[in-house]
Amino acid sequence: MAPLLVVNLLVITGPGTASILMSFTDWDGLNSPSFVGLANYAELFRADAVLNALWHNVIWTLFFLVVPMAMGLLGAFVLSRLRRGQIVFRVLYFIPYVLATVISAAIWRQIMDPDGGIGDALAGIGIPFLADVNFLGNPSLALGSVAFVNTWQWWGFLLVIFLAAMQAVEPSLYEAAKLDGAGPVREFWSITLPSIRPTFVFLALMTIIWSFLVFDYIYVLTQGGPAGSTDVLSTVLYREAFENRRQGYASAIAMLLSVISAVTVIGYLVLRRRLKWDV
């Protein structure tokens, strides 16, 4: 275990400690940093860009806790009842998850392009309702459009994990339910969902953490625009660190993300113990 511990200390603990110290400084990444105390954190909670990005993170988290999770649960439950072709559907739904984010985002950017994208293609066959719709350039549509693209990639992963958990449920429970006259909906609520509760709660926890750390699709598709309508904390952090060269301020944003993740994990552990989710 010693080599693994050394790697952990070098790769995680070292940079993490450096980020904490850096968050109390004003540093451009080149010159010597100057200590500014809590000034970065004071600015952090006054900055409209950060508060706007934090709100978008909250919206993003709520969306992904509901829509992809529901799609994954429903898809897994339907697939679990198939007797033939299940492996084919599992592979097809999982393919988007293994594609590189940059490739997927580039494809969807072309599809959503108002000039030559899906709107023009549908208009060409007499369905003009999406013509000239700028999915990624309209502030009212941009965040939802990026969330749609990310859902296309993410829900297949949830489906496969949920399906694996469902296949471990004791078959005799379903047999007993059928003898009592339970239908598919009743089986799902009374047997399937309680049986996969540990998996469901763990994926919900990871969804919350990943939602606050989301970066790739947003940056590739919109870079936080238009007019900050798709900004999240990670895009603001990136912009402050590498475009504005404010490493200290960016580190303070990183600390905020770390605190959110830590609070989420601690809350999960407390609830798991109190509600006995592992039982």
Side-chain angles (χ1 to χ4, degrees):
M1 297 297 294
L4 297 177
L5 181 60
V6 171
V7 171
N8 186 66
L9 291 174
L10 291 175
V11 176
I12 299 177
T13 307
T17 303
S19 294
I20 295 174
L21 297 176
M22 197 184 305
S23 68
F24 298 103
T25 67
D26 179 16
W27 187 42
D28 62 2
L30 297 174
N31 300 309
S32 298
S34 58
F35 181 76
V36 295
L38 297 175
N40 287 328
Y41 292 95
E43 180 182 351
L44 185 69
F45 293 104
R46 294 196 308 263
D48 291 338
V50 173
L51 296 177
N52 177 62
L54 180 60
W55 174 240
H56 290 159
N57 273 116
V58 172
I59 295 174
W60 189 277
T61 302
L62 294 175
F63 176 85
F64 275 83
L65 280 175
V66 176
V67 178
M69 292 284 284
M71 292 173 60
L73 276 172
L74 178 61
F77 184 69
V78 173
L79 280 184
S80 68
R81 309 181 75 82
L82 290 182
R83 296 295 176 263
R84 294 182 179 180
Q86 186 184 109
I87 187 64
V88 175
F89 285 103
R90 289 170 63 180
V91 171
L92 291 176
Y93 289 137
F94 198 72
I95 285 176
Y97 183 74
V98 300
L99 289 178
T101 299
V102 175
I103 295 175
S104 300
I107 293 172
W108 278 103
R109 187 164 53 192
Q110 293 298 320
I111 292 175
M112 294 181 171
D113 191 336
D115 300 319
I118 187 171
D120 279 357
L122 290 175
I125 58 174
I127 308 176
F129 74 99
L130 289 180
D132 300 323
V133 176
N134 194 345
F135 292 99
L136 301 176
N138 187 330
S140 300
L141 300 176
L143 187 63
S145 299
V146 179
F148 170 83
V149 175
N150 206 337
T151 298
W152 170 81
Q153 182 223 29
W154 177 239
W155 88 280
F157 170 79
L158 295 176
L159 180 148
V160 171
I161 301 300
F162 281 135
L163 181 60
M166 291 178 185
Q167 290 177 333
V169 177
E170 181 60 44
S172 61
L173 297 175
Y174 292 109
E175 295 173 2
K178 290 178 181 177
L179 291 176
D180 290 338
V185 176
R186 184 66 176 174
E187 289 180 11
F188 176 79
W189 285 108
S190 299
I191 298 176
T192 304
L193 202 54
S195 298
I196 67 169
R197 182 174 54 191
T199 301
F200 178 86
V201 173
F202 175 76
L203 286 178
L205 168 71
M206 298 309 299
T207 297
I208 294 173
I209 295 175
W210 288 331
S211 293
F212 274 94
L213 299 178
V214 62
F215 175 79
D216 46 7
Y217 272 108
I218 292 178
Y219 186 78
V220 174
L221 288 172
T222 65
Q223 296 186 348
S229 60
T230 60
D231 254 337
V232 290
L233 289 174
S234 57
T235 57
V236 176
L237 186 157
Y238 182 89
R239 189 161 55 245
E240 292 293 341
F242 299 106
E243 295 180 11
N244 300 335
R245 294 174 59 184
R246 300 185 64 193
Q247 301 289 341
Y249 185 60
S251 296
I253 300 175
M255 291 304 102
L256 175 61
L257 284 169
S258 298
V259 169
I260 292 172
S261 299
V263 169
T264 302
V265 172
I266 293 172
Y268 162 75
L269 294 175
V270 171
L271 287 175
R272 188 180 69 175
R273 176 175 295 182
R274 290 187 177 182
L275 300 180
K276 300 180 179 179
W277 281 338
D278 290 335
V279 177

